Structure formats: structure tokens, C-alpha cells
């Protein structure tokens, strides 16, 4: 086994020994060779991938999973309500928004689970506070870590792989923050990497060598030293892996050309490459619909459902549908009563989706009452940390108690 | 507050109205809007954005660098003017720092007509979202009063608004807001707050424009307290609702470009807000908020964290908060307190911040004298994760560690190379060539060249092994001293690109 620090050190040591021409690729070939030869470590790792799909801005849960038979719903949503006839019914009580037809297909295959009324006690109505609570799982805020940081650090301590955690986009998601976890973030494989560092190729190689040396030599006891050093190392190695992954896998299905679909496609390509991707994060934003909600949310839900359907079909064609599980989340749902701007204000509990071949499809948890409200807001029925605990323990094979600060009841049957 | 406030607000409103550029719309604008729309949707509330300041990784051996007066001056200039320009270092060298601070604060009064005419000649279409970003970045590079731009950037981060909500067709509203922030950059917080509540971009951004009696929209009322003035936990949900009622009737004209007060839509009932009851309006809400003891600490923290370092202790903030209180929340006074405080030059302040993409690209362009139309800088900054006028969410940009990821790191390295090489994405059509030679004084050896470039870029604070790596780069082959002039020039460019890409340079 090779730890991250060792990896970084050894990688850099190889740089200093190598010749200018073959240097940078050799570092990572060398490191990968060491890792690949360690069959025991490879076998000990779980081969499951968790995709965290954030719906940023506070998605209106009531118009996502619609309680279409509840008269209180129609009363609270005179202009925004989804008509019962349009709903894609899942059972006698709830149905999907019609724009989520992609998810209805997965429901038919029993690969879609819905957990109702997910939230937490004493909810924050601030995007940032509430996002932070969801991201750190309630117990990791002080450490500046997220609910998945501990899992990633654990994997990292067994072997280094810059793609254990992968963020679609320019930024690392706070769920994955850790001084030990990877920092790989790429909006796409295109233009990810060094461009022309110098007009002359030999000069460019020299510059790259010197650049890596400077990161190696950056004093370790200065602010941000670990972050800068690992970022540089992971950037160089992940660029090779990502480019190869994208070149190697042509999806079996046509993905829509939306940012969320392109993001999921990139994740599928990484999965297809055989990289040890354990946690992927991708975001669809724009759900903060205080005004003129209908067209905005319909567009977003359509993009979401279609992208998830294509992603699942692609994974299925790869024979990987059972190895990848996707969970959606949003920092809160929205107020039951629509507002005067044809929108909805910040609310509380909302349903979330869990999708994959390893999921037992169905509706989980109890639907919150639309009449027994707390200041106009839904009372949550399932703590979001129960969902996290279930995924950590039953899917990732990782402990949950320390990360979440307590033992939360697992959701029986959610993971097949 | 009274008169002074009203006068300056009126002055602003007049100026802003004059500044509104009527858009002709058209096909190209629609394309921009569609492209921007797709991007903006994913940008609004991006993954992350923790509300609390992300603390710098716990650490560290205290740096002794700031004991050196030269480093202190460079640190001050870097934090307030994007970069410690060699010419500025020479100019201020040997002067007491208090005096330097006063001169920097006085910069706002400097004549800037040359910048205005230069900007007008850049061929930018200020009705287009992409071009207003370029316009501001070009301005930051061109201006002889960079601290004013840095303060405007501070306000844009605190009282933020974004194109994602105003819509691409009304991009010029953000330019109006930008002019407001520049005109009042060193003004008092209450003036800013009472102006911004009437600012069309803000009114759209936080849904004030559609808030009516009986159906008060809470978005602005909440962020006014959470983000702008008090911080979460210092008010109740009831206070949010009551403040929202006080903010009803603050509306936009039919064309949606100007503030109008609509009495019929204003809730004239009594409201109880933070313990005070009355027929409160938006200005009364601001007055009550700024009387809360925590408001001064909050303001002091926002300024301190933006210019010094994250998560300062209570004892560090207390004297700055006292200045905020005694000065009536004057940003000029609070800035002076921060920049002359011991904490600002304390060991933990050195390289304690990650440069934002804006600071990074503007600083590098100023250092090398690359003056262009800003489009290259805008493109580079976007790849580094920051699009001005399009913040990820209402808390602005979280900064700190969030700027550093593999993708954004590549973007920084690639920008530095393109800028120094005088080509690539950083080179806009009208850009001048980078003046690399200005950083050097006839270096006779690789070591001398490294020393000169390191002084100009990283305060000369560079480890011996890093110096050796850079000297090895210069000496590769037959040795730096033997290189022909063009090769020597290429290597010196490489040296500067490497320093701009170095871990040291990523930190401010």
C-alpha cells in the first residue's frame, strides 16, 4: 500500500531523478504501477460509486413529488399546483411532476426510490446555513469537513487515487472537503490540463519540471500548503486519467445536451474507465424560485429527469448499473403556500431520490401533513442523516456514527 | 443620518439614471442571454458556498516575513491595490505606513478622466453581460486609483447581485450598481444600504421588486440581516417577516429599470422589528439594525476578513468594531483601522489569503503592464471560477480554499503562461505586450535573475530549494550567462510565468 504523503513524496522523488523529456508521465506511470501491483489493497476496496446530485437553491418538493389527491395541496397552490390529471402517479397518494418522465421509467424498473419528508429539526431558512448542515452532516462543521470526507480519507489511507472523489465543475464540493481527500474538479475533460506553457516544446518541458519542483519545495508549515501541494499533484495525474477515460468510452445512449447530462456523462465515462471512483458530485442549480416558478422549475426538472434516465441507461449498457447509486438532495423544500410573485419562499422538508441498480424501488418514509404545519412549513418525517447513515453503512461500507454525531436509524430495504 | 444620506442618495440616483444605457436588444443579445442562462443556472448556488468563512488550514509556523519593513509595504499594497507594483514600492518606500495608508485612502479623489476615456475607446458593448465584466477588469488594470476598485469589489462581494437573476437583457443594471459602489466606496454602511434597497439590480436579485402588502417576499429582508449586517442567529424568523412587510412597495418602474415607491403596495400597518414597533419602512429598518450592538462587530469582521485574514479573534475585532461605531459605520474609518492595526501585520496575516481570480488576473496584468480590453482577463477569471456580476449566490464568493481545485489551478498556470508569452487566451486584440524586462535590472547570473523576479512577485520570500529549481531552469543547457539575447528573453519570461504559477504567488 502506498499512502498519499508517500505517493506525493515518491512521485516528486521520481521527478528529481528522471530526465527532462520523459519526466512527468513517468512520475505517474511509476506511481500507478506501484499501486496496480498491490492486489491486496485493490481487493479490499468496495467497488461501489456514490453520486451526490445537488439541486441547489432549494427545490420545491411539493411540485416534485406531488400529493395530488390532497385538497390542501390544491388550495395552497392555486396557480403553481400540478393538476392531478397531469401527475405521473407512483401510488394512490403521490406522483411525479410530469416533466420527470425520465424518472417514471426508472420507477417502472424498480430502480427509483423516493424518501419523503426529508429534513431536520429546527430547520434553517438560510441557503448557506442549511446547505452547510446538509454538507457536513451536522458533526463536521468545526473541522471544515463534509459528511463524505471521512470515507474519502479512509480510502486515501489505504491507497492513493486522485479519482476517489470527483467533482463535476470547477469547484470541490464541501461534502468532500478534507485535508487528505482529493481535490479533483473538472467541468469537462476538454481543456482540462496544461495548455501551451511556452512556444518552444523543450522550454515548456523545462518549465513544467521547475513548476512541480516549486510545489514540492513549498514549505509545509505555511497556510494552504497541503492544499496547494496535493492540488498540483492531483491535477497532473487526473488530467491523464480523465482524458483517457473520455477517449475510451463512447456512451451507448444519447445524452441530452444540458449541463447536468454532460456532467453525468462524464461520471459514467470515469466509471467506465475502471477508475476507483467512489464519490462523485454534480450540481444542478437555479431552484431558488421566489418568483415565476413554473417555467423555471419545469425546465430544471425536465433536465434532471432526462439526464438521470440517460445516465442509468448508459450504466446499464456498461454493466455497471448495480455499482453506481445516485442520491439527490436540496438544502430545503419550499413554503407550502405559494407567494404573490407566482413563486415559493424558503421552506423545510422535501423528498429526495435514490436511484440505481442497487436500490429497491419504492416510496419510503411518511409524507408530511399539509395541514399540520409549523409556521406554514412542513414538519420533517425522516432525518436526512438517516439517509446518509443508510448509504454510508449499506452502500459504502463505512461507519456513520462519528461522521453524523449520533446513530441514526437506517432506512430498511432501501438498499437491495 | 438624515440630510447627508438623502443628498448622496439623490446624487447617486441621478448619476445612475444618466448611466443607464438603452439596449437595442437584437439577435446577438439573445444568444448571449441563452448561453449565459444555461451557465447561470448552474452557477446560482453552486456546490458549496459555505456561509461561514472557511478558515485557513490550521497551522503553522508563524512567518517572520512581516518584520521586514519592505515586506510590510508590499503586503499592504498587495492587499489594497491588487499587486505591489515596483514603482509604488519605490514611491512609498521609507514612509511611515500610517502615511501610506492615508495616501492610499486619498487615491479615490485622484483624477481618473484618462481611464474613463481609455475605457470608452475599448469598443465594449455595455449592454452585454460579458462586456461589462471585461469593462470592469480593464478598469481595474488601467486605473491610477486601484484601491477604489478593490473597495468596489468588496461591496460587490458583500452587497452582491448577479446577472443570473436580473437577466442578460438588463445587464446594464449591474453596471449601475457598480457605479453606485464606486461612488460610495468609502461611504457609510447606512448610505450603502439605503441606496442598495432602491437599486434595481438588487431589487431583482432579492425579489424586492415583486413584494406587496399582504404578500411580502422575505428574500431581501432575510439577507439584509443574515449577510449584510448582523449574521445568522441575531434575529428571529418573526423579525424577517416584519422586515419584509416594511420592505413592501419598493418597486420598479414599468420598464423595470428604475426604482419607484408605490404607496398602495406598501404595508402601512404597525410592525415590530428587533423590539421596536411602528409603521416602519426600509430606511427605519436599516437604522434599527445598525443600532444593534452586533452590527459593528459584523461590519468589522466583514472588512477585516476581506483584507486581512479569516476568523479573527474577538480581541482583534473589538477595536475595529469600536471605530465602526464611533464613525457611524464609515468604511474609510474602518479601513484605516484595519490597515493600521497590528493584526494586519501579524505573522498569521502573511500569505493568509488565497488570491481571488480577479485579484490574480488584475494583479498580474498590472505588474506586467498588459493593458487590453479586459476580455482575455474575463475569460481567464471565468476559468478560475469567478465571473464578476455573476456571484454563485447571495453570499458572494466564499473564497479561501474554494478557489483551489485542480481545474482552477490549471486555469491559473495556463493564464500565467499565456500572459507572459504574450499570446493565447490572455492576449486580447488590443492588449499591449507584457513588459517582462521591467522586472529585471541586467541580471548577470541565474541567481540574480531569480532574486530580482522573486522580489517583484513574492516579496523575495522564496525558499532556497525553490530558488535553486528556478535557477536550474535558467541555467539548463550551457548556462544562463551564455544564452543569446532571444533565448535569454524566453527564459526570463519562463521565470516570471513560473513565479506567477508558484504556490507562493497564489496567496495574498
Amino acid at each position: 500500500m502506498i499512502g498519499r504523503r508517500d505517493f506525493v513524496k515518491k512521485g516528486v522523488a521520481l521527478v528529481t531523478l528522471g530526465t527532462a523529456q520523459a519526466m512527468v508521465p513517468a512520475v505517474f506511470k511509476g506511481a500507478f504501477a506501484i499501486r496496480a501491483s498491490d492486489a491486496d489493497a485493490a481487493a479490499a476496496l468496495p467497488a461501489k460509486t456514490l453520486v451526490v446530485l445537488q439541486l441547489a437553491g432549494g427545490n420545491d418538493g411539493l411540485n416534485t413529488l406531488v400529493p395530488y389527491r390532497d385538497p390542501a395541496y390544491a388550495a395552497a397552490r392555486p396557480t403553481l399546483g400540478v393538476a392531478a390529471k397531469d401527475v405521473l402517479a407512483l401510488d394512490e397518494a403521490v406522483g411525479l411532476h410530469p416533466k420527470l418522465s425520465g424518472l417514471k421509467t426508472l420507477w417502472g424498473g424498480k430502480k427509483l426510490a423516493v424518501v419523503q419528508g426529508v429534513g431536520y429539526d429546527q430547520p434553517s431558512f438560510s441557503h448557506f446555513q442549511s446547505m452547510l448542515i446538509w454538507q457536513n452532516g451536522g458533526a463536521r462543521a468545526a473541522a471544515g469537513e463534509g459528511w463524505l470526507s471521512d470515507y474519502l480519507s479512509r480510502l486515501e489511507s489505504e491507497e492513493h487515487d486522485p479519482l476517489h472523489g470527483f467533482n463535476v465543475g470547477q469547484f470541490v464540493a464541501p461534502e468532500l472537503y478534507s485535508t487528505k481527500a482529493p481535490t479533483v474538479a473538472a467541468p469537462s475533460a476538454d481543456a482540462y490540463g496544461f495548455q501551451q506553457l511556452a512556444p518552444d516544446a523543450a522550454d515548456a518541458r523545462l518549465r513544467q519540471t521547475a513548476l512541480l519542483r516549486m510545489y514540492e519545495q513549498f514549505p509545509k508549515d505555511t497556510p494552504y500548503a497541503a492544499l496547494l501541494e496535493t492540488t498540483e499533484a492531483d491535477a497532473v495525474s487526473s488530467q491523464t486519467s480523465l482524458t483517457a477515460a473520455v477517449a475510451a468510452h463512447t456512451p451507448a445512449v444519447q445524452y441530452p445536451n444540458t449541463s447536468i447530462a454532460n456532467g453525468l456523462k462524464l461520471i459514467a465515462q470515469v466509471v467506465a474507465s475502471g477508475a476507483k471512483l467512489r464519490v462523485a458530485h454534480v450540481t444542478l442549480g437555479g431552484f431558488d424560485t421566489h418568483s415565476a416558478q413554473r417555467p423555471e422549475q419545469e425546465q430544471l426538472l425536465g433536465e434532471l429527469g432526462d439526464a438521470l434516465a440517460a445516465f442509468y441507461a448508459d450504466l446499464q449498457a456498461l454493466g455497471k448499473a448495480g455499482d453506481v447509486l445516485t442520491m439527490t438532495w436540496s438544502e430545503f423544500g419550499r413554503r407550502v403556500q405559494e407567494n404573490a410573485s407566482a413563486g415559493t419562499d424558503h421552506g423545510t422538508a422535501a423528498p429526495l431520490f435514490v436511484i440505481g441498480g442497487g436500490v429497491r424501488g419504492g416510496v419510503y418514509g411518511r409524507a408530511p401533513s399539509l395541514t399540520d404545519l409549523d409556521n406554514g412549513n412542513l414538519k420533517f418525517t425522516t432525518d436526512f442523516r438517516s439517509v446518509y447513515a443508510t448509504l454510508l453503512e449499506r452502500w459504502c461500507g463505512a461507519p456513520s456514527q462519528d461522521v453524523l454525531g449520533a446513530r441514526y436509524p437506517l432506512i430498511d430495504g432501501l438498499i437491495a | 443620518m438624515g440630510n447627508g444620506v438623502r443628498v448622496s442618495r439623490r446624487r447617486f440616483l441621478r448619476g445612475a439614471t444618466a448611466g443607464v444605457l438603452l439596449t437595442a436588444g437584437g439577435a446577438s443579445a439573445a444568444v448571449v442571454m441563452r448561453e449565459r442562462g444555461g451557465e447561470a443556472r448552474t452557477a446560482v448556488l453552486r456546490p458549496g458556498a459555505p456561509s461561514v468563512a472557511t478558515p485557513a488550514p490550521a497551522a503553522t509556523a508563524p512567518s517572520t516575513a512581516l518584520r521586514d519593513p519592505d515586506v510590510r509595504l508590499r503586503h499592504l499594497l498587495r492587499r489594497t491595490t491588487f499587486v505591489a507594483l515596483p514603482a509604488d514600492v519605490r514611491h512609498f518606500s521609507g514612509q511611515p505606513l500610517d502615511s501610506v495608508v492615508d495616501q492610499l485612502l486619498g487615491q479615490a479623489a485622484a483624477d481618473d478622466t484618462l481611464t474613463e476615456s481609455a475605457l470608452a475607446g475599448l469598443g465594449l458593448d455595455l449592454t452585454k453581460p460579458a462586456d461589462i465584466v471585461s469593462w470592469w477588469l480593464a478598469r481595474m488594470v488601467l486605473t491610477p486609483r486601484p484601491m477604489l476598485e478593490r473597495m468596489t469589489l468588496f461591496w460587490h462581494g458583500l452587497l452582491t447581485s448577479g446577472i443570473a437573476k436580473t437577466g442578460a437583457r438588463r445587464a446594464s443594471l449591474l453596471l449601475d450598481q457598480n457605479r453606485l459602489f464606486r461612488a460610495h466606496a468609502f461611504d457609510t454602511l447606512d448610505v450603502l444600504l439605503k441606496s442598495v434597497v432602491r437599486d434595481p439590480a438588487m431589487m431583482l436579485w432579492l425579489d424586492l421588486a415583486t413584494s406587496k402588502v399582504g404578500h411580502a417576499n422575505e428574500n431581501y429582508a432575510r439577507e439584509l440581516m443574515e449577510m449584510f449586517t448582523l449574521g445568522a442567529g441575531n434575529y428571529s424568523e418573526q423579525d424577517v417577516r416584519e422586515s419584509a412587510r416594511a420592505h413592501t412597495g419598493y418597486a420598479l418602474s414599468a420598464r423595470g429599470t428604475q426604482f419607484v415607491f408605490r404607496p398602495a403596495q406598501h404595508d402601512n400597518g404597525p410592525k415590530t422589528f428587533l423590539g421596536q414597533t411602528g409603521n416602519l419602512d426600509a430606511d427605519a429598518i436599516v437604522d434599527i439594525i445598525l443600532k444593534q450592538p452586533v452590527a459593528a462587530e459584523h461590519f468589522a469582521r466583514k472588512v477585516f476578513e476581506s483584507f486581512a485574514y479569516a476568523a479573527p479573534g474577538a480581541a482583534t475585532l473589538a477595536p475595529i468594531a469600536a471605530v465602526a461605531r464611533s464613525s457611524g459605520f464609515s468604511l474609510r474609518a474602518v479601513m484605516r483601522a484595519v490597515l493600521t492595526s497590528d493584526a494586519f501585520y501579524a505573522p498569521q496575516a502573511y500569505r493568509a489569503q488565497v488570491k481571488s481570480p480577479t485579484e490574480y488576473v488584475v494583479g498580474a496584468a498590472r505588474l506586467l503592464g498588459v493593458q487590453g480590453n479586459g476580455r482575455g482577463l474575463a475569460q481567464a477569471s471565468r476559468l478560475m471560477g469567478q465571473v464578476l456580476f455573476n456571484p454563485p449566490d447571495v453570499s458572494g464568493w466564499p473564497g479561501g480554499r474554494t478557489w483551489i481545485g485542480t481545474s482552477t489551478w490549471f486555469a491559473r498556470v495556463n493564464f500565467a503562461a499565456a500572459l507572459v508569452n504574450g499570446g493565447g487566451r490572455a492576449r486580447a486584440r488590443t492588449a499591449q505586450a507584457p513588459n517582462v524586462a521591467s522586472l529585471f535590472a541586467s541580471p548577470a547570473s541565474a541567481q540574480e535573475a531569480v532574486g530580482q523576479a522573486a522580489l517583484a512577485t513574492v516579496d523575495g520570500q522564496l525558499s532556497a530549494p525553490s530558488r535553486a529549481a528556478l535557477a536550474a531552469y535558467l541555467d539548463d543547457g550551457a548556462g544562463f550567462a551564455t544564452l543569446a539575447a532571444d533565448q535569454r528573453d524566453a527564459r526570463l519570461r519562463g521565470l516570471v510565468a513560473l513565479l506567477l504559477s508558484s504556490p507562493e504567488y497564489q496567496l495574498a
Side-chain angles (χ1 to χ4, degrees), chain B residues 76-101:
Chain B
L76 170 64
L77 291 171
R78 183 164 54 248
R79 294 288 175 90
T80 53
T81 67
F82 301 103
V83 64
L85 284 184
D88 288 341
V89 173
R90 279 194 299 276
H91 174 77
F92 290 119
S93 185
Q95 299 186 34
L97 283 178
D98 284 17
S99 159
V100 178
V101 169

Side-chain angles (χ1 to χ4, degrees), chain B residues 41-79:
Chain B
R41 230 187 355 266
T42 18
V44 180
L45 294 171
R46 84 158 117 74
S51 65
V52 294
T54 315
T60 62
S63 165
T64 56
L66 284 169
R67 289 182 192 163
D68 180 340
D70 178 70
V71 177
R72 289 159 78 92
L73 175 59
R74 290 173 190 275
H75 170 75
L76 170 64
L77 291 171
R78 183 164 54 248
R79 294 288 175 90

Side-chain angles (χ1 to χ4, degrees), chain A residues 50-103:
Chain A
L50 173 64
V51 178
V52 176
L53 196 164
Q54 180 179 358
L55 306 176
N59 178 37
D60 181 16
L62 282 174
N63 274 15
T64 302
L65 186 72
V66 183
Y68 63 100
R69 293 228 164 129
D70 192 334
Y73 170 74
R77 300 294 178 90
T79 64
L80 288 182
V82 182
K85 64 175 173 52
D86 295 333
V87 160
L88 308 174
L90 299 186
D91 60 21
E92 295 300 305
V94 293
L96 297 171
H97 188 285
K99 292 287 179 187
L100 289 170
S101 53
L103 292 187

Side-chain angles (χ1 to χ4, degrees), chain A residues 56 126 170 192 203 215 221, chain B residues 45 60 226 382 406 414 473 501:
Chain A
S126 148
Q170 285 170 309
Y192 179 72
D203 190 15
Y215 277 81
D221 55 358
Chain B
L45 294 171
T60 62
E226 181 183 334
R382 185 178 68 74
T406 56
N414 289 329
Y473 163 72
S501 308

Side-chain angles (χ1 to χ4, degrees), chain B residues 8-217:
Chain B
S8 44
R9 190 193 315 135
R10 271 202 300 275
R11 196 173 60 217
F12 151 65
L13 289 173
R14 222 175 32 238
T17 308
V20 171
L21 292 168
L22 297 178
T23 165
S28 61
V31 170
V32 170
M33 189 169 60
R34 211 171 324 120
E35 291 172 356
R36 303 276 311 173
E39 186 187 68
R41 230 187 355 266
T42 18
V44 180
L45 294 171
R46 84 158 117 74
S51 65
V52 294
T54 315
T60 62
S63 165
T64 56
L66 284 169
R67 289 182 192 163
D68 180 340
D70 178 70
V71 177
R72 289 159 78 92
L73 175 59
R74 290 173 190 275
H75 170 75
L76 170 64
L77 291 171
R78 183 164 54 248
R79 294 288 175 90
T80 53
T81 67
F82 301 103
V83 64
L85 284 184
D88 288 341
V89 173
R90 279 194 299 276
H91 174 77
F92 290 119
S93 185
Q95 299 186 34
L97 283 178
D98 284 17
S99 159
V100 178
V101 169
D102 285 332
Q103 291 174 63
L104 290 172
L105 290 169
Q107 265 185 1
D111 179 69
D112 210 11
T113 46
L114 282 177
T115 304
E116 296 291 353
S117 54
L119 287 168
L122 291 179
L124 298 171
D125 179 349
L126 298 185
T127 64
K128 288 186 177 163
D131 275 8
I132 63 171
V133 177
S134 304
W135 176 87
W136 192 11
L137 288 167
R139 179 176 198 112
M140 290 178 190
V141 175
L142 288 166
T143 184
R145 41 186 203 185
M147 188 171 175
L148 183 60
E149 297 308 316
R150 179 63 187 81
M151 300 312 303
T152 308
L153 184 60
F154 166 78
W155 287 118
H156 180 47
L158 180 61
L159 308 180
T160 203
S161 301
I163 199 104
K165 200 79 172 271
T166 62
R169 277 182 306 129
R170 287 186 283 200
S172 61
L173 294 182
L174 285 153
L175 206 56
D176 295 342
Q177 187 184 76
N178 183 255
R179 291 186 171 115
L180 161 70
F181 290 153
R182 186 170 296 102
H184 294 281
F186 292 100
D187 214 327
T188 57
L189 183 58
D190 72 300
V191 170
L192 266 297
L193 291 173
K194 290 173 182 178
S195 301
V196 93
V197 74
R198 295 164 170 86
D199 174 69
M202 175 62 83
M203 295 177 70
L204 290 166
W205 174 248
L206 290 180
D207 300 297
L208 263 181
T210 53
S211 191
K212 297 172 186 167
V213 57
H215 302 280
N217 192 306

Side-chain angles (χ1 to χ4, degrees), chain B residues 465-478:
Chain B
S466 284
R467 283 173 188 270
L470 293 173
Y473 163 72
L474 292 178
D475 272 333
D476 186 82

Side-chain angles (χ1 to χ4, degrees), chain A residues 137-152:
Chain A
R140 283 290 194 258
E145 295 200 336
W147 70 277
L148 289 162
S149 306
D150 188 68
Y151 172 47
L152 286 168

